[in-house]
Short mmCIF file of all heavy atoms in Angstrom, two decimals:
data_model
loop_
_atom_site.label_atom_id
_atom_site.label_comp_id
_atom_site.label_asym_id
_atom_site.label_seq_id
_atom_site.Cartn_x
_atom_site.Cartn_y
_atom_site.Cartn_z
N GLU A 685 -11.55 -29.46 22.73
CA GLU A 685 -11.54 -30.20 24.00
C GLU A 685 -10.36 -29.77 24.86
O GLU A 685 -10.49 -29.59 26.08
CB GLU A 685 -11.47 -31.69 23.71
CG GLU A 685 -11.53 -32.56 24.96
CD GLU A 685 -11.53 -34.05 24.63
OE1 GLU A 685 -11.85 -34.40 23.46
OE2 GLU A 685 -11.22 -34.85 25.52
N GLU A 686 -9.20 -29.57 24.24
CA GLU A 686 -8.01 -29.16 24.99
C GLU A 686 -8.17 -27.75 25.55
O GLU A 686 -7.69 -27.45 26.65
CB GLU A 686 -6.77 -29.22 24.09
CG GLU A 686 -6.35 -30.64 23.74
CD GLU A 686 -5.27 -30.66 22.67
OE1 GLU A 686 -5.22 -29.72 21.84
OE2 GLU A 686 -4.48 -31.63 22.65
N ILE A 687 -8.85 -26.88 24.82
CA ILE A 687 -9.09 -25.52 25.30
C ILE A 687 -9.95 -25.55 26.55
O ILE A 687 -9.64 -24.90 27.57
CB ILE A 687 -9.75 -24.67 24.20
CG1 ILE A 687 -8.74 -24.36 23.09
CG2 ILE A 687 -10.30 -23.36 24.79
CD1 ILE A 687 -9.34 -23.69 21.87
N GLU A 688 -11.04 -26.33 26.52
CA GLU A 688 -11.91 -26.40 27.69
C GLU A 688 -11.17 -26.99 28.89
O GLU A 688 -11.30 -26.50 30.02
CB GLU A 688 -13.16 -27.21 27.38
CG GLU A 688 -14.10 -26.51 26.41
CD GLU A 688 -15.48 -27.14 26.38
OE1 GLU A 688 -15.87 -27.75 27.39
OE2 GLU A 688 -16.17 -27.01 25.35
N GLN A 689 -10.38 -28.03 28.66
CA GLN A 689 -9.64 -28.64 29.77
C GLN A 689 -8.60 -27.67 30.32
O GLN A 689 -8.38 -27.61 31.53
CB GLN A 689 -8.96 -29.93 29.30
CG GLN A 689 -8.40 -30.77 30.45
CD GLN A 689 -9.46 -31.17 31.46
OE1 GLN A 689 -10.50 -31.71 31.09
NE2 GLN A 689 -9.20 -30.90 32.73
N GLY A 690 -7.97 -26.90 29.44
CA GLY A 690 -6.99 -25.91 29.89
C GLY A 690 -7.61 -24.84 30.77
O GLY A 690 -6.99 -24.38 31.74
N LEU A 691 -8.84 -24.45 30.45
CA LEU A 691 -9.55 -23.48 31.29
C LEU A 691 -9.89 -24.09 32.65
O LEU A 691 -9.70 -23.45 33.70
CB LEU A 691 -10.83 -23.02 30.59
CG LEU A 691 -10.66 -22.15 29.35
CD1 LEU A 691 -11.99 -21.97 28.63
CD2 LEU A 691 -10.09 -20.78 29.73
N LEU A 692 -10.38 -25.32 32.64
CA LEU A 692 -10.75 -25.98 33.89
C LEU A 692 -9.53 -26.21 34.78
O LEU A 692 -9.62 -26.14 36.01
CB LEU A 692 -11.45 -27.30 33.60
CG LEU A 692 -12.80 -27.19 32.87
CD1 LEU A 692 -13.30 -28.57 32.46
CD2 LEU A 692 -13.84 -26.50 33.75
N ASP A 693 -8.37 -26.49 34.16
CA ASP A 693 -7.13 -26.70 34.92
C ASP A 693 -6.48 -25.37 35.32
O ASP A 693 -5.44 -25.38 35.99
CB ASP A 693 -6.12 -27.50 34.08
CG ASP A 693 -6.60 -28.92 33.80
OD1 ASP A 693 -7.49 -29.39 34.53
OD2 ASP A 693 -6.10 -29.54 32.84
N GLU A 694 -7.06 -24.24 34.84
CA GLU A 694 -6.53 -22.90 35.09
C GLU A 694 -5.14 -22.71 34.48
O GLU A 694 -4.35 -21.89 34.93
CB GLU A 694 -6.52 -22.57 36.59
CG GLU A 694 -7.92 -22.59 37.20
CD GLU A 694 -7.96 -22.09 38.62
OE1 GLU A 694 -6.88 -21.76 39.15
OE2 GLU A 694 -9.06 -22.01 39.19
N ARG A 695 -4.84 -23.51 33.47
CA ARG A 695 -3.62 -23.31 32.69
C ARG A 695 -3.83 -22.22 31.66
O ARG A 695 -2.89 -21.55 31.24
CB ARG A 695 -3.22 -24.62 32.02
CG ARG A 695 -1.93 -24.57 31.24
CD ARG A 695 -1.50 -25.97 30.83
NE ARG A 695 -2.56 -26.68 30.12
CZ ARG A 695 -2.82 -26.54 28.82
NH1 ARG A 695 -2.08 -25.72 28.09
NH2 ARG A 695 -3.79 -27.22 28.25
N LEU A 696 -5.09 -22.06 31.23
CA LEU A 696 -5.48 -20.99 30.31
C LEU A 696 -6.41 -20.02 31.03
O LEU A 696 -7.23 -20.43 31.86
CB LEU A 696 -6.22 -21.57 29.10
CG LEU A 696 -5.47 -22.58 28.22
CD1 LEU A 696 -6.39 -23.11 27.13
CD2 LEU A 696 -4.23 -21.93 27.59
N GLN A 697 -6.29 -18.75 30.69
CA GLN A 697 -7.20 -17.75 31.25
C GLN A 697 -8.39 -17.50 30.33
O GLN A 697 -9.44 -17.06 30.77
CB GLN A 697 -6.45 -16.43 31.49
CG GLN A 697 -5.40 -16.55 32.60
CD GLN A 697 -4.38 -15.45 32.51
OE1 GLN A 697 -3.52 -15.44 31.63
NE2 GLN A 697 -4.45 -14.51 33.43
#
Side-chain angles (χ1 to χ4, degrees):
E685 183 177 341
E686 290 171 332
I687 289 172
E688 291 195 26
Q689 191 58 52
L691 291 170
L692 295 172
D693 294 341
E694 299 188 358
R695 183 170 53 83
L696 300 176
Q697 293 160 287

